[in-house]
Amino acid sequence: MLRSKIGGIGYYVPEKVVTNHDLMKVMDTSDEWIQERTGIVERRYAKKHEETTATMGVEAAKIAIERAGITAKDVDMIIFATLSPDYYFPGSGVLLQRMLGMNGIGALDIRNQCSGFVYGLSIADQFVKTGMYKNVLLVGSEFHSCGLDFTTRGRNVSVIFGDGAGAVVIQPTDKENQGILSTHLHADGDGAEKLAYFNPGCHGGTFLDKEKFGYPDQEYGGIFLTDKMIEDEDIYPYMEGQAVFKFAVTKFPEVIMEALETNGYTKEDIDMLIPHQANLRISQFVQHRLKLPDNKVWNNIQKYGNTTAASIPIALCEAWEAGAVKEGDLVCLAAFGSGFTWASALLRW
Ligand code: UT7
């Protein structure tokens, strides 16, 4: 069987820098609180009415496609990972396809939040190593700032997230010791309501407090998005931060070790760990647990916040551009997020 590799990689972050001090102007928070609890100093916000999740994905994709030595016409399939799509449906994949003029190829939209990129990588890997496709474009892009609660009520979530996009082209390789060695995907739906964006949705309160959300008891319609949800502002992401934190610090080391053990490696063999940029404290906990030196873990949450599906490709691209990921290096990608979902991938660069 063939093996697949990352043949090209790119990222895009919007120009607008929003510092912790900027957020202090609109909500009751402090630079000290945000830095101490998350490590974040600033993040980027996309330009409303001009940029979207799809347009940011396009910018990242153009760079990845060029670096892969192909043109947009050579792409065989698109995989688009996001939790902040342009439309509820259709997914952002077809918008990217339209903008890049790649008519006719398949566009698969996936919804695995912070694990979206690694889930997407696993899907792309299967298509390439079976020989079905030669160039799969995988994009992770997020426009969080358009859907956050910027009042004090939403501060535990809003200060964490930022906008941006990353993309890779997955291609076959015939080199013996190169490419994606394995991917590992996991989920536990018991955590579904711990980090979620409930509305609009057709759950009709099934798993939630019906009184609180005001689901009308009518035969048809009316439960997708009600006036009461809007009045009560139940239209923002919900997160039980500490529960998420606890699960993350258990699952990150587990899934990294799973990837290493599957391939007969130990943690000492890792040249670079790219963790999903959820919280600097989570990354530091994982680094400490695995006893990895600073130069083997890439962190950029300080500059971009948590960009969900975009965070791993942005961090991987930055690390590669900085020369911190080189040919022959053993690179581990690891993610954790809403679902709960978690995943890892081990690559020989
Ligand atoms: O990609 C995966 C996505 N999510 C995550 O990985 C998140 C994982 N969780 C976390 O990163 C942390 O739980 C947070 C950073 C979200 C919160 O940190 P924490 O240390 O767990 O704080 P907390 O939620 O226990 O809140 C402590 C206090 C509360 O005040 P009281 O009740 O002690 O008076 C909060 O109201 O901090 C308050 N608080 C804030 N204060 C200033 C919450 N958000 C803020 C804020 N600024 N932005």
Side-chain angles (χ1 to χ4, degrees):
M1 198 185 283
L2 288 166
R3 187 174 274 176
S4 60
K5 63 166 184 180
I6 294 180
I9 182 163
Y11 77 95
Y12 170 82
V13 286
E15 256 175 56
K16 188 178 169 61
V17 175
V18 176
T19 65
N20 296 341
H21 292 278
D22 292 327
L23 294 180
M24 285 163 62
K25 293 177 197 152
V26 295
M27 63 179 77
D28 180 13
T29 188
S30 67
D31 179 48
E32 196 190 1
W33 191 97
I34 301 172
Q35 287 212 41
E36 195 184 300
R37 310 272 176 148
T38 71
I40 300 166
V41 178
E42 59 190 38
R43 69 288 289 145
R44 304 295 180 96
Y45 284 175
K47 256 191 212 156
K48 283 205 183 83
H49 312 300
E50 283 183 37
E51 293 184 303
T52 73
T53 298
T55 69
M56 288 189 282
V58 165
E59 294 310 316
K62 281 181 186 165
I63 300 167
I65 288 170
E66 196 194 329
R67 285 176 173 169
I70 58 167
T71 70
K73 300 276 180 226
D74 300 315
V75 172
D76 301 307
M77 183 198 191
I78 299 160
I79 303 173
F80 202 116
T82 186
L83 65 68
S84 50
D86 298 46
Y87 304 135
Y88 192 86
F89 74 83
S92 300
V94 295
L95 304 180
L96 173 134
Q97 181 192 50
R98 181 172 68 192
M99 283 183 272
L100 288 174
M102 303 186 292
N103 293 334
I105 60 167
L108 174 67
D109 290 89
I110 59 165
R111 304 190 46 185
N112 302 91
Q113 298 69 248
C114 302
S115 308
F117 182 80
V118 182
Y119 266 67
L121 192 70
S122 183
I123 298 167
D125 184 36
Q126 311 313 311
F127 276 109
V128 171
K129 70 186 181 193
T130 55
M132 183 157 172
Y133 293 134
K134 284 199 166 56
N135 296 297
V136 178
L137 173 65
L138 166 62
V139 177
S141 181
E142 304 287 359
F143 190 168
H144 288 306
S145 65
C146 74
L148 298 172
D149 178 0
F150 285 103
T151 68
T152 297
R153 200 184 80 146
R155 65 184 178 174
N156 68 320
V157 177
S158 306
V159 300
I160 295 176
F161 292 97
D163 303 339
V168 293
V169 176
I170 307 300
Q171 298 176 318
T173 176
D174 48 21
K175 284 197 187 160
E176 188 60 30
N177 195 19
Q178 185 192 44
I180 299 171
L181 306 182
S182 65
T183 56
H184 307 270
L185 311 182
H186 297 281
D188 180 355
D190 280 349
E193 284 80 22
K194 303 246 181 271
L195 173 52
Y197 204 138
F198 299 117
N199 302 309
C202 59
H203 54 89
T206 309
F207 312 112
L208 301 167
D209 179 347
K210 287 194 187 54
E211 287 297 311
K212 180 175 181 295
F213 286 94
Y215 293 97
D217 195 15
Q218 63 200 49
E219 196 175 358
Y220 300 115
I223 59 168
F224 196 67
L225 184 64
T226 64
D227 291 343
K228 186 166 188 311
M229 287 173 202
I230 295 170
E231 275 159 30
D232 293 351
E233 301 191 350
D234 285 321
I235 48 167
Y236 292 115
Y238 172 81
M239 180 170 75
E240 291 175 27
Q242 291 197 1
V244 178
F245 195 102
K246 279 185 198 144
F247 215 74
V249 294
T250 311
K251 293 301 173 191
F252 263 115
E254 256 179 46
V255 82
I256 292 167
M257 289 313 297
E258 182 184 357
L260 291 168
E261 281 161 15
T262 302
N263 294 284
Y265 290 116
T266 67
K267 50 195 167 49
E268 287 75 29
D269 294 315
I270 295 180
D271 291 305
M272 181 58 75
L273 171 66
I274 310 275
H276 160 55
Q277 306 289 300
N279 180 325
L280 190 59
R281 284 166 55 212
I282 295 178
S283 294
Q284 287 169 341
F285 184 97
V286 175
Q287 176 180 348
H288 185 72
R289 172 70 69 84
L290 299 179
K291 297 190 176 63
L292 296 174
D294 287 352
N295 66 344
K296 290 193 172 186
V297 183
W298 196 264
N299 290 304
N300 64 6
I301 191 169
Q302 301 90 329
K303 292 188 292 181
Y304 304 130
N306 178 343
T307 56
T308 307
S311 99
I312 289 181
I314 294 175
L316 179 60
C317 189
E318 261 198 4
W320 173 72
E321 286 177 358
V325 167
K326 306 170 296 300
E327 193 171 339
D329 280 355
L330 191 66
V331 179
C332 186
L333 314 180
F336 176 87
S338 161
F340 292 130
T341 57
W342 62 102
S344 64
L346 199 66
L347 336 167
R348 185 64 76 179
W349 195 261

